[in-house]
Amino acid sequence: MFSLVLSAAWRMATITSSRGNTEVVTARRTESRDVPGIIGLFSPLTENLFGMIDVTYLLEISNLALTLCNEENEVIAHAAFLDYPNWNITDQAEWEPFLRDNYTNNKCTPLNTLFVHLFVAKEEYTAECSQEIVRRAFILLPELQFILLFIPPEEKLGFCHSELGMGNVFERMTPVPGSPMERRFTLLACPRHRCHPQLCVRQARMEDYDDLMLIWTPQSETLKETYGEYLLVDLIEREGEENQAAVCEVGGTAVGFMSLCSHVNVSLFQECFDLGPFHGLCKPHPEDILKVPRKPSVQGDKGESNQTSQEPEPVSSQNLEDVAGADAAGQKGGAVAVSQTELLVGDVSTTGSEGSAAPLLETDEEGDLHPVYRGASNAFCIRLFCIDEKYETRSLDFLHYAFSVFPDRDLCVILVPHHVPAFPLIQSFVRAVPCCTSRLGRELYVFHRAGLLTSFNVRKATIDDLQGVKMLVETLSLDEEIWNDSKLFTEARKDPDGMPVRAFVAEVLDQIVGVSVTRDEMDIEYIQAHYNIEDFIRFNHHQQEEHGHLCHFVLNPVFHHYTKYFLKEILRLGHKSSLYYPVYPECVEGQFQRPCAHSLTSALHYMAPVRPRRQIVYPLEELGVNAPSEQVSKDQLNYSLNHTNRKLVLESKVCINTRIVVVGASDVGISFLETLIFWPRLKFNNLTLISIHGLPGKDPQSSKYRRLLINSHCFNDEDYAQMSLCSWVNVVVGKMTGINRAAKYVVVSKEKKVPYDYLVLCTGQSYQALAPTGAGISGVTSKWPQRYMEKVPSNHFTLNDAQDCSEAARWLEENLVSSKGNVIVYGNTIDIYTTVETLLSFGIDGSRIHLVQAPLSSAGPCLGDAALERTVGEALAGAGVAVHPDSVLAQWGQGDHGLITWAAFTTATNPLQLQCSAFFSFAYRTVDYETFKAINDACLVFDGRLVIDAKFHTNDDSIRAAGPLTKFSRRYYRDELTHSNFNSKEIGFQLAASMLSLFDPTPQASSEPPEGSDRLIPIYRRCKVQGGVLPGGYNYLHVSKPAIPMPLDVEHDPCDHGMEIVTGEAGHGNYFRMHFSRYSMVDSITCFSKEPFPVSNYICLYGQHERLLNDLHYRWRAGQLTDLYSYFREPWSMAIYHDRFIDLQKELRQTLMSEQVPGQPPAAEQRPEQKPGPPALRESVLRYLRRHRAHLPMFAPTDIYRLPPTAAGRQGPKSGRAGHSGSSGSPTPAQGPS
């Protein structure tokens, strides 16, 4: 069973002016950069028809805004549509009864109606532009049936509405006799059938063959390979009881074709997909077994593993009582095979297909459980589907016919290849969650007969709805919280804290099928300060009370395609413009249930994840009254934020079903996944991470153990909580042990097979157990270093991630802290110092710790600075730690339980033998052996590391790789330069960016790469960071430029014309060193302090010019600098630490470049009276400080400075808000770039 969409090439519309001129135009959603062009289309008639309009504000609140532009991208026409009437005729929540009371033959509902709040066009193109924009609106929104427009009566306008130049698009609606609307306004309506009518669907006939071939031919080769030469004829002729064929026609011409079949391989689908919400695609049977104990998730906590879930009853369009089953998206069901439980939070494209998945009672060969369905098949399938692209948004019209020819089946299913982009038909279907190890190679989509019902109504909940709500949510994990919050609204309208609560229900045929609970968002200042919410809204256009907080959202999966309309109605009925939904970490949910009791939501698919913002670490004591408000600087539970608003709610992301499998939860792998998740236009449904210990950040309580290893400062627990990767990524816990390139799957732990379309290898390098050389008195007997091939003793530790550190720490606490054995720390990296310091902090006496240093690598000492090495050595001696330099592990002995009891080393002088109770090895870091074997057996080129090119490609186009695992091909002649020399977070971002072009349909600005660039290694610019706590309690930070590592005394050779500034001394614990390049840019920072310091602030200093650092060189030469720590705590430096400072730098650079005139000094060097130099720069800085006043209150208020008005929003008609004719002022438009 296979489905394919065949579409004709997109045709631009051609419009003709009243003068006979023609323009080729394209329709697109309006962007903020269109505002000046829209204002330029205003005429005196515009204000008469629509009132005083603030275009910027109107775009901010419009549900749909469309612009027609010509081939030069000039705005030709624009229209803005909202879900309530213009001219402020009635309250936005009450317009439906208002229309019903005032107009006859009214079939308008909030589901099928939008209102025009603004339409402007070039005068000569008005008629055809209005037709084209309205037609595009109907194409974009299949449920839309009516577009309405209120205009003043003809007596006030002085002419008939037919003279508006809007063609024959709109017709006048007749008010009821005696209605006051007869004198106040004229209502114009455009029904769908005038512009984009519903398609006529009938049984296919052989006479349709010629018409269908016009849309069939472009894909004939693909179809021939799949089905053979005469597929279309066969499908039409094979019609019978099991097979049906249908066509849709326009004007007697067939424009679409659908082949249907009643035979469905239900058992195969039950094996490969979670079909619990649809009763396994079977009819109910008395012997069905549905309720079973949950199988514990691989990473689920104990509280979850004992839950049970009940599958909802199947939905019947004849008896909608059964609809009250449950929105399975809110249920915590069993994870599939090795899939992550958190998928139930995040893979909401399934709208809960996963939620009611009870772990099953029958077992397959891999031991997974499956429910038992005894009933007959309740589904038919779409075997093949094609339609002309001009009519593809009407694809749902086929389903009315499809269900009529199979009256005994309630479910329609369709299989779609992973690489096929989501097309309009399946946007109304529910995506079934595939098993993580399913190798079917297709996506399964399901549609229920009841989904064709259009009587979907959203209203405020009443006390009479409580029983229906209880039935709806009774199988959900947070059913009590949802029901109690719904009850709070119906009884008190507020929670115990006095916070107003609103509850809404969705009903179909008087049956409750959805419920939502919201409250006012009171933390809006915190959200604005901590999340990039201004990527989505302009805050100055939204009042405090217009921000809403989504607490619960439950919707039956049958009506999944109405989710965005449910959200739209929540905004309209609640008088909100934005909704926010937090996802708290799972570990926090268990501990602080009440403050974080947000139900799992099937609406997540229609909301946008919001990137967190990097925060300034404020010196609050020094700032005093100039510190930011508590709302900005307060600490609270970290969460991932999801958002929607009026302009986003009807704009769906492009769903990407391509299976992308990432191996390794390294910084590179996490950065790669983060970039894909937060990409604004795409939603990836099939992201999978294969990791030995699952996702990082799962156990924030073990953070103290991470001190055992040096910190790269790429990600921390706060970052993981604010990303909530578990909401979007499947996690397979295990190790990659094989790759089958031909069949495209990864073998995990020699058992599971995880299929992929693209495989991304980011395992990095790890510390390995080092084999003793076997040296005796006669010397070394084997090559060194080599991997230990036998079973590693349980008291031998190689630490590579937080989980390793936590397990080692627990072993030490249980077995060593209270005993008297020795701990040997062996290696030649900086991790030996952080480990020794952490062991001392555990209470292990220094005399029991032996630091055995392996021979140094070519890069030199661990710290690269003699003063720091000396100070750390003194701290070790002071703590009683014995240090043994230049030692090679020769032998170790094992006791009765296989534990290491002693270890011997070869040194330059005498052999060394030490008693041992625990052995930490940091001497041998390389590619893991099983990873190497999997790569090598798959015939990927491996030359010490996995070989890649400059674009992350291996020798297999489907396999990419990045990070320390890799090296560049020898054809670049830079063997010494690898990804290990660069910032891992930047590498992960660039890896994702290189792949996004494969999926993002948005046209990108094409630029030809310079000739020969494919033979050059790309340039990465972000700094490398190392930080940790060293022996003696010294806090250490080293920030350096990406380069081949070398000792600092070589790196800072005076001949490079750079400069070095050092304050304090290492021994005093106040050492701060900065190195500047020959261009006076910061390229290295080293901090060594007894007191903690703001690492994230100091990282911001990298790459800055010394002039930006308050003329640092001048102050140093003048003897004004004695302590860089206190210097960078001064209030002036806070602006540099701000996450938007880089935007200011870009703006200033553009100003300087644009205003520099040949033969004249640069703008920065002009005298104040000269124009437009320093004033232009000063205005940009003042705008920056004004916009970020909440973060930077330590700077003097900028209101006293006069800022020039911006172009956008200062032209044309403007006073009141959109749809308001009064004199009420509108918020000032945002100034400058955001």
Side-chain angles (χ1 to χ4, degrees), residues 40-62:
L41 297 175
F42 276 40
S43 67
L45 180 61
T46 304
E47 185 175 337
N48 294 334
L49 288 176
F50 301 102
M52 304 292 285
I53 297 294
D54 178 347
V55 177
T56 306
Y57 174 74
L58 181 62
L59 293 183
E60 191 67 19
I61 62 170
S62 295

Side-chain angles (χ1 to χ4, degrees), residues 736-739 747 929-940:
M736 178 182 71
T737 54
I739 303 172
V747 181
Y929 175 75
E930 290 181 308
T931 300
F932 157 74
K933 192 173 186 306
I935 291 171
N936 193 60
D937 291 349
C939 297
L940 296 174

Side-chain angles (χ1 to χ4, degrees), residues 107-114 137-147 192 196 198 393-397 400 424-425 427-429 447 451-456 559-565 568 606 649-650 652:
K107 298 180 181 178
C108 299
T109 68
L111 176 66
N112 66 17
T113 306
L114 286 179
F138 283 121
I139 289 174
L140 281 173
L141 305 175
E143 288 83 5
L144 184 63
Q145 297 296 326
F146 301 99
I147 294 178
R192 168 177 284 276
H196 196 65
Q198 184 170 331
T393 59
R394 297 306 310 168
S395 301
L396 206 62
D397 296 341
H400 293 273
L425 176 65
Q427 291 176 2
S428 298
F429 282 59
F447 187 90
L452 294 173
L453 298 173
T454 58
S455 58
F456 186 85
F559 303 101
H560 166 235
H561 53 297
Y562 289 140
T563 301
K564 57 186 178 183
Y565 293 97
K568 181 175 72 70
Y606 292 95
V649 73
L650 295 182
S652 300

Side-chain angles (χ1 to χ4, degrees), residues 1055-1066:
C1055 69
D1056 71 353
H1057 307 295
M1059 179 178 177
E1060 185 174 276
I1061 294 178
V1062 180
T1063 64
E1065 297 181 13

Side-chain angles (χ1 to χ4, degrees), residues 627-701:
S629 68
E630 185 181 352
Q631 288 295 322
V632 173
S633 60
K634 69 178 178 180
D635 291 327
Q636 67 176 47
L637 294 175
N638 296 304
Y639 55 83
S640 168
L641 183 67
N642 300 276
H643 166 79
T644 192
N645 56 53
R646 286 185 175 274
K647 62 184 178 182
L648 289 181
V649 73
L650 295 182
E651 184 176 355
S652 300
K653 288 188 174 185
V654 177
C655 289
I656 307 297
N657 289 325
T658 304
R659 296 168 297 183
I660 302 176
V661 175
V662 180
V663 182
S666 61
D667 289 339
V668 173
I670 298 300
S671 177
F672 172 81
L673 291 171
E674 176 194 34
T675 305
L676 296 188
I677 287 168
F678 287 107
W679 200 253
R681 295 178 292 271
L682 307 179
K683 181 183 182 298
F684 291 86
N685 288 331
N686 282 322
L687 295 177
T688 301
L689 173 67
I690 299 174
S691 172
I692 298 174
H693 295 134
L695 282 173
K698 290 287 295 178
D699 185 14
Q701 303 303 319

Side-chain angles (χ1 to χ4, degrees), residues 596-768:
C596 311
H598 291 67
S599 56
L600 309 182
T601 171
S602 57
L604 210 58
H605 173 66
Y606 292 95
M607 304 184 82
V610 186
R611 275 188 180 273
R613 295 178 62 177
R614 177 175 46 78
Q615 297 299 301
I616 302 173
V617 181
Y618 294 98
L620 297 178
E621 292 185 6
E622 285 89 340
L623 292 175
V625 295
N626 291 323
S629 68
E630 185 181 352
Q631 288 295 322
V632 173
S633 60
K634 69 178 178 180
D635 291 327
Q636 67 176 47
L637 294 175
N638 296 304
Y639 55 83
S640 168
L641 183 67
N642 300 276
H643 166 79
T644 192
N645 56 53
R646 286 185 175 274
K647 62 184 178 182
L648 289 181
V649 73
L650 295 182
E651 184 176 355
S652 300
K653 288 188 174 185
V654 177
C655 289
I656 307 297
N657 289 325
T658 304
R659 296 168 297 183
I660 302 176
V661 175
V662 180
V663 182
S666 61
D667 289 339
V668 173
I670 298 300
S671 177
F672 172 81
L673 291 171
E674 176 194 34
T675 305
L676 296 188
I677 287 168
F678 287 107
W679 200 253
R681 295 178 292 271
L682 307 179
K683 181 183 182 298
F684 291 86
N685 288 331
N686 282 322
L687 295 177
T688 301
L689 173 67
I690 299 174
S691 172
I692 298 174
H693 295 134
L695 282 173
K698 290 287 295 178
D699 185 14
Q701 303 303 319
S702 65
S703 295
K704 58 182 178 180
Y705 302 135
R706 299 181 190 181
R707 297 175 54 193
L708 284 160
L709 293 174
I710 202 72
N711 193 341
S712 67
H713 289 284
C714 287
F715 300 100
N716 55 32
D717 286 339
E718 181 178 337
D719 297 325
Y720 294 131
Q722 292 176 333
M723 283 190 286
S724 188
L725 289 176
C726 54
S727 296
W728 312 102
V729 180
N730 297 310
V731 178
V732 178
V733 180
K735 179 181 286 190
M736 178 182 71
T737 54
I739 303 172
N740 189 319
R741 290 169 54 192
K744 283 195 168 185
Y745 64 80
V746 176
V747 181
V748 179
S749 301
K750 300 181 180 179
E751 296 178 354
K752 298 290 182 181
K753 296 177 181 178
V754 180
Y756 68 85
D757 295 310
Y758 287 99
L759 178 63
V760 180
L761 302 177
C762 304
T763 57
Q765 294 186 333
S766 57
Y767 289 115
Q768 304 292 312

